Amino acid sequence: MKIIFTLFLPLIVLISCLSKNDSIDIYVSKVLETKSDGTKEFPFGNLAAALDRVSEIKLRQPDEKIIIHLLPGTYYLSKPIELNASLSGITIKGSKSSEVSIKGSVSLEVDWKKYKKEIYVTNVDKGLDFDQFIIDGKAQILARYPNYNEEGHYWQGYAADVISKERIASWENPEGAYFHALHGGRWGGFHYQITGVNKDGTPILKGGHQNNRDSRPHKEYRMVENVFEELDSPGEWYFDAKNDKLYYWPAKGVSLKTGEFEVSVLKELIQVVGTLDDPVKNVTISGITFENTKRTFMEEFEPLLRSDWTIYRGSAIFFEGTEDCIVSNNEFTNLGGNVIMASKYNKGLKIVGNHIHECGASAISFIGDPSAVRSPSFNYRKFVLLADMDTIAGPKNELYPRGCLVEDNLIYRIGRIEKQSAGVQISMSMDITVNHNSIYDVPRAGINIGDGTWGGHILENNDVFNTVLETSDHGSFNSWGRDRFWHPNRKYMDSITTANPEMPKWDAIKTTIIRNNRFRCDHGWDIDLDDGSSNYHIYNNLCLNSGIKLREGFQRVVENNIMVNNSLHPHVWFAKSEDVFKNNIIQKTYQDVGLLGWGKDLDYNLFPNEEAMMKPQMYDRDIHSSFGDPLFKDPKNLDFSVLDNSPALAIGFVNFPMNQFGVLKPELKALAKTPEVPVLKDVSKTNGKKGNYTIAWLRNTLKSVESEQEQSAYGLNSAEGVIVLRTWKHSPAVQNNGIKIGDVIIEVNGEKLENIKDFFTVLKNNKTLNTIDIIVMRNQSELPINIRFK
């Protein structure tokens, strides 16, 4: 069989230089010219020849700007393109991404023979090593169990028995199979290779290093692939490397006679690598489609400090030690791992106008070097004691990305195999701007910031939705801040941050801004600031479903946001968190959990009804807030600005643009999806018994008795009281023989209740007490309960 490597074609070059300020133009075409000299008329036959001539020119004229023009065609690489500092100032430019592609695959000449039933087989050349098989530009399915189902949720189909003894016993050669499973808490995933079988029939596994939170593989959400016996449905394939045979069950519409067959053989395509002292400068890559690289989930991963992430420090397009480089107007598809990564020192990298989809891991990553972090720790349970800590603020050296831009990119269907992935991932970096991107259909966060080091990021005008599709407990935007101040022992963390109130800013030295974005997450939170996330300013965001969560951090200012059908989720706040929540429109009461304090200033917010507003007022918060219908202008068309007579304007809310989210580039905007329109829950008129309004109290869910039917069902004397709908087992109201689901609270501290409003009125009047006495109706009998808060 013949394998085509276009790079090995003959080469000659001609340089045309019109004046001192003009660039030198070199042309490359897949059409072989007998007199190739690099002109447009007689172009090079491959990139290698053009790059060799660039090196020759740079020896004589190191500051010369050179443009390599790729004329229409497909360019197969035999090895990654490597650009070092001596090639600074070079542009690699395709005529347009729809006409020019660079591939990490080889083209196969096939001779398909019937194997049995619907399966065909062809011989391939010896020595091939591939894990992606592409036909007519579409990646096929590596033989797997359960079979691929686009609607199959986790792994596009999962089963608990994928590596059961019985199933493994049915395989002639289990070695080489890949076992994929979600984390036990669905916080990303794990990947293993089966290297053998124990005497008891269980598999010997290698791997499981792709997540920074210890866990056994999830018991149910599992998938296995690369097993010959599982080749049992259209589109599936299997490669027998020992015998150099490729097996395939043709997908519908595939022609074995006329199809274009390719297999991925490279992990990387372009590597732009310099050093801090000798960086690569002013390299531009534009107008190209990059396709077909190998998957990287079994490569060596490294932990990203104490976030939940580990990562392979590699990508199809890789930057390290660079300044002022540009990646623009490209398409990236069928790439097996990370797409674009800025590693260690990078300054001024711009990633603009690209289309990224159908890729295995993260789309765009900024990953600094841990040597730049002072007193770093690398796992949730690891820490450096304050007595041993470097207490100087900021980075220790310059090995981190800074001042970079991610703008106007369309990103979707990434993380196809690696579930701890993101559209944009930022760790150990400073001053990264993420602007006007559309990110959706991803397994975890759309945008993730892994740590507080070192802030200054600006996230604005993005449209991020359909996220956390294959994981859990996350957000369309997610962050962690397990920085130097953070400790797994909460009491110790309280003590050191009380003694050192500026400690959270030792790492998060600059404020990160999240503004003018549209977020929707149906499987977590729209904005999720998780453990330790500190020093954020969040304003003018439209949150379409799951609200904003602020957990266990300091100095977050959240103002002028809209939380459709949801609210603020303050989780385990510090006594002096200095958090601010003002001028927001919310449609539920606060969903608080385990607070030691209620922040610096929560006020001037618009609640849906009086009951929702009364809970924070028990803690002297939201004294000047109001309630009512916000009067959105056109919510059915995703315009949630408010009318001129909206009560939101009276509490200081200011309208912000509703038509500037996501990509702006016309070609990308025409392709981009928009989020599902939420169905508004009418809770603004709920007062007492009107409507079916529920409210959270000590993480339990309550509602008013509203009908004679409920009166009868609960055995009440009248249609009055507060029903306990759901409980949380750790709530102080539940512990020590407290409330249970189905209880109806009819009296608090001797005062009879008509509804939820009465309940919170009594609590507000008794807010200084550490205990309350309630009477509930349980099994048609009155039962006294004493609840202790401390």
Side-chain angles (χ1 to χ4, degrees):
M1 182 192 310
K2 181 180 179 183
I3 302 174
I4 303 171
F5 288 100
T6 311
L7 281 184
F8 292 137
L9 297 175
L11 52 103
I12 307 173
V13 69
L14 176 66
I15 304 166
S16 71
C17 183
L18 301 179
S19 72
K20 186 174 181 180
N21 294 323
D22 288 333
S23 63
I24 295 174
D25 296 312
I26 299 173
Y27 291 87
V28 182
S29 172
K30 73 169 187 175
V31 179
L32 179 62
E33 296 289 345
T34 56
K35 297 181 180 180
S36 296
D37 59 11
T39 61
K40 192 171 185 179
E41 292 74 19
F42 301 102
F44 274 137
N46 58 74
L47 265 168
L51 289 169
D52 286 345
R53 183 49 61 92
V54 171
S55 296
E56 294 174 10
I57 297 169
K58 288 289 186 176
L59 286 174
R60 301 189 304 270
Q61 300 166 276
D63 297 327
E64 197 69 61
K65 295 180 180 179
I66 302 174
I67 301 176
I68 296 177
H69 298 272
L70 298 182
L71 299 177
T74 298
Y75 299 85
Y76 293 96
L77 301 184
S78 61
K79 63 179 181 179
I81 298 167
E82 297 179 356
L83 305 179
N84 58 32
S86 69
L87 298 179
S88 292
I90 186 176
T91 293
I92 301 176
K93 181 180 181 181
S95 53
K96 66 169 65 172
S97 62
S98 61
E99 297 177 345
V100 176
S101 63
I102 290 178
K103 294 185 177 182
S105 53
V106 295
S107 181
L108 300 179
E109 291 184 1
V110 296
D111 182 20
W112 294 107
K113 305 290 186 183
K114 193 71 172 283
Y115 173 66
K116 63 179 181 180
K117 296 184 178 180
E118 292 86 356
I119 299 174
Y120 290 77
V121 63
T122 183
N123 291 318
V124 300
D125 282 0
K126 290 185 179 298
L128 278 180
D129 178 18
F130 61 91
D131 63 2
Q132 289 217 82
F133 176 41
I134 302 100
I135 302 178
D136 298 331
K138 183 176 181 180
Q140 303 301 296
I141 302 164
L142 185 54
R144 54 169 282 170
Y145 170 75
N147 288 334
Y148 185 97
N149 176 4
E150 190 62 44
E151 306 302 322
H153 202 184
Y154 306 112
W155 308 112
Q156 288 69 57
Y158 59 86
D161 67 338
V162 300
I163 55 170
S164 67
K165 294 179 184 180
E166 295 77 12
R167 183 160 292 276
I168 290 175
S170 71
W171 304 337
E172 182 177 336
N173 182 23
E175 292 185 21
Y178 295 117
F179 166 51
H180 308 279
L182 289 189
H183 180 281
R186 292 179 291 161
W187 300 338
F190 296 111
H191 312 275
Y192 304 84
Q193 187 174 38
I194 297 178
T195 60
V197 180
N198 292 306
K199 291 182 179 180
D200 65 356
T202 58
I204 301 171
L205 301 175
K206 178 181 74 174
H209 54 282
Q210 305 89 352
N211 199 297
N212 204 25
R213 292 295 294 273
D214 296 336
S215 166
R216 292 183 177 181
H218 199 284
K219 292 181 179 180
E220 183 178 4
Y221 303 136
R222 300 176 164 204
M223 182 267 285
V224 69
E225 61 176 355
N226 201 31
V227 179
F228 181 63
E229 286 80 3
E230 303 299 347
L231 202 172
D232 58 2
S233 67
E236 289 194 338
W237 64 275
Y238 176 81
F239 176 45
D240 179 356
K242 290 182 179 180
N243 297 298
D244 305 310
K245 292 184 180 293
L246 175 61
Y247 297 85
Y248 178 57
W249 182 327
K252 184 178 180 180
V254 168
S255 170
L256 296 184
K257 294 182 178 181
T258 62
E260 181 183 3
F261 303 94
E262 301 171 68
V263 292
S264 298
V265 295
L266 297 182
K267 291 183 295 185
E268 296 92 15
L269 299 177
I270 298 181
Q271 308 283 283
V272 187
V273 179
T275 66
L276 178 64
D277 297 326
D278 190 18
V280 184
K281 298 180 180 180
N282 301 305
V283 165
T284 297
I285 301 167
S286 70
I288 303 167
T289 292
F290 292 91
E291 300 178 75
N292 304 349
T293 58
K294 296 175 68 175
R295 303 186 300 178
T296 58
F297 58 82
M298 290 302 295
E299 298 295 324
E300 182 179 350
F301 278 51
E302 61 183 271
L304 296 184
L305 299 179
R306 289 193 285 180
S307 77
D308 287 2
W309 278 56
T310 61
I311 198 167
Y312 167 58
R313 194 178 286 269
S315 59
I317 310 298
F318 184 79
F319 293 87
E320 184 171 293
T322 75
E323 294 181 1
D324 301 319
C325 294
I326 299 172
V327 181
S328 64
N329 302 315
N330 302 288
E331 182 174 0
F332 300 89
T333 188
N334 286 341
L335 302 174
N338 300 313
V339 178
I340 302 170
M341 179 178 288
S343 168
K344 302 181 181 179
Y345 175 69
N346 287 275
K347 180 181 178 182
L349 174 63
K350 296 180 180 178
I351 302 169
V352 180
N354 300 287
H355 181 194
I356 304 174
H357 61 106
E358 312 302 334
C359 294
S362 293
I364 300 169
S365 303
F366 297 90
I367 310 295
D369 191 275
S371 69
V373 181
R374 298 181 187 275
S375 298
S377 297
F378 296 97
N379 184 270
Y380 182 91
R381 296 292 175 189
K382 303 294 184 181
F383 54 86
V384 176
L385 292 173
L386 181 59
D388 302 322
M389 193 179 291
D390 181 343
T391 60
I392 298 173
K396 192 174 182 178
N397 62 40
E398 298 298 317
L399 296 180
Y400 60 90
R402 82 288 303 279
C404 299
L405 175 67
V406 179
E407 185 171 81
D408 206 10
N409 299 285
L410 176 58
I411 300 170
Y412 58 94
R413 288 178 63 87
I414 51 92
R416 302 306 294 165
I417 191 68
E418 296 182 34
K419 303 310 174 186
Q420 194 72 286
S421 53
V424 179
Q425 161 69 358
I426 301 171
S427 177
M428 297 173 283
S429 303
M430 187 189 297
D431 297 332
I432 308 300
T433 296
V434 182
N435 183 29
H436 276 301
N437 303 282
S438 292
I439 306 172
Y440 53 86
D441 293 349
V442 297
R444 202 132 172 80
I447 303 172
N448 186 75
I449 297 179
D451 44 76
T453 55
W454 290 274
H457 314 306
I458 299 176
L459 316 180
E460 58 186 348
N461 304 309
N462 299 290
D463 201 7
V464 188
F465 57 97
N466 285 6
T467 60
V468 198
L469 294 181
E470 295 184 66
T471 55
S472 159
D473 192 13
H474 217 53
S476 286
F477 169 81
N478 182 81
S479 65
W480 292 285
R482 298 171 188 145
D483 304 323
R484 277 178 281 181
F485 80 87
W486 195 88
H487 195 282
N489 183 312
R490 179 59 186 261
K491 289 183 178 180
Y492 179 78
M493 181 163 48
D494 285 341
S495 68
I496 62 174
T497 53
T498 299
N500 302 275
E502 288 301 307
M503 196 175 179
K505 288 189 176 181
W506 290 358
D507 291 305
I509 60 174
K510 292 187 174 183
T511 301
T512 289
I513 295 172
I514 303 176
R515 65 188 178 200
N516 296 104
N517 302 283
R518 180 167 64 189
F519 294 108
R520 175 165 183 157
C521 181
D522 291 8
H523 310 282
W525 292 271
D526 296 334
I527 298 177
D528 183 357
L529 271 63
D530 212 347
D531 298 348
S533 300
S534 299
N535 199 6
Y536 279 76
H537 189 189
I538 302 172
Y539 62 95
N540 290 6
N541 296 286
L542 174 59
C543 299
L544 288 174
N545 190 69
S546 299
I548 297 176
K549 170 185 153 189
L550 303 180
R551 178 180 172 90
E552 200 178 57
F554 292 90
Q555 300 180 45
R556 287 81 60 95
V557 177
V558 181
E559 56 186 348
N560 213 74
N561 302 281
I562 300 171
M563 278 147 271
V564 178
N565 293 335
N566 219 296
S567 186
L568 171 68
H569 296 248
H571 288 190
V572 291
W573 281 10
F574 295 94
K576 295 184 179 180
S577 69
E578 297 297 302
D579 290 322
V580 174
F581 188 80
K582 297 181 69 174
N583 311 119
N584 301 284
I585 297 174
I586 61 177
Q587 297 194 291
K588 284 185 179 179
T589 192
Y590 299 145
Q591 307 295 297
D592 53 289
V593 177
L595 305 188
L596 295 179
W598 277 83
K600 179 181 179 180
D601 190 8
L602 284 73
D603 208 355
Y604 295 99
N605 298 295
L606 184 69
F607 287 80
N609 51 57
E610 188 175 11
E611 294 93 329
M613 186 176 67
M614 291 178 71
K615 183 170 70 170
Q617 289 180 342
M618 294 190 303
Y619 305 97
D620 295 322
R621 298 297 187 268
D622 287 293
I623 301 303
H624 302 97
S625 293
S626 185
F627 62 92
D629 186 342
L631 301 178
F632 296 128
K633 283 184 180 178
D634 189 11
K636 291 183 179 179
N637 290 300
L638 291 172
D639 182 356
F640 286 86
S641 55
V642 300
L643 298 172
D644 290 343
N645 59 337
S646 168
L649 301 176
I651 51 92
F653 176 82
V654 178
N655 279 323
F656 52 89
M658 293 283 160
N659 59 354
Q660 298 179 12
F661 307 119
V663 290
L664 298 176
K665 184 179 176 181
E667 300 93 317
L668 298 181
K669 198 174 183 68
L671 295 173
K673 290 170 33 176
T674 55
E676 179 183 351
V677 177
V679 177
L680 290 177
K681 299 175 183 177
D682 185 10
V683 295
S684 61
K685 297 180 181 180
T686 300
N687 187 358
K689 297 180 183 178
K690 296 178 182 178
N692 190 27
Y693 184 71
T694 63
I695 194 164
W697 173 65
L698 299 179
R699 214 169 176 180
N700 308 294
T701 304
L702 312 177
K703 69 179 288 288
S704 298
V705 176
E706 298 169 6
S707 66
E708 292 182 357
Q709 289 80 5
E710 288 179 334
Q711 173 190 342
S712 175
Y714 290 101
L716 304 173
N717 294 325
S718 61
E720 298 176 329
V722 175
I723 303 169
V724 179
L725 293 179
R726 288 186 293 274
T727 59
W728 181 50
K729 64 181 180 180
H730 300 298
S731 172
V734 173
Q735 294 179 329
N736 300 315
N737 298 313
I739 61 174
K740 294 183 178 182
I741 294 174
D743 285 351
V744 179
I745 305 172
I746 58 175
E747 186 176 305
V748 178
N749 285 355
E751 298 190 39
K752 292 189 178 296
L753 304 181
E754 182 179 348
N755 49 46
I756 286 177
K757 180 179 178 181
D758 289 348
F759 178 74
F760 281 109
T761 299
V762 175
L763 293 183
K764 181 179 178 181
N765 293 336
N766 293 273
K767 62 186 177 184
T768 60
L769 298 179
N770 292 328
T771 68
I772 59 171
D773 293 308
I774 68 173
I775 295 178
V776 302
M777 184 67 75
R778 181 183 297 171
N779 297 327
Q780 300 190 10
S781 298
E782 294 185 3
L783 177 68
I785 296 175
N786 177 259
I787 295 174
R788 295 182 177 272
F789 299 112
K790 296 183 180 179

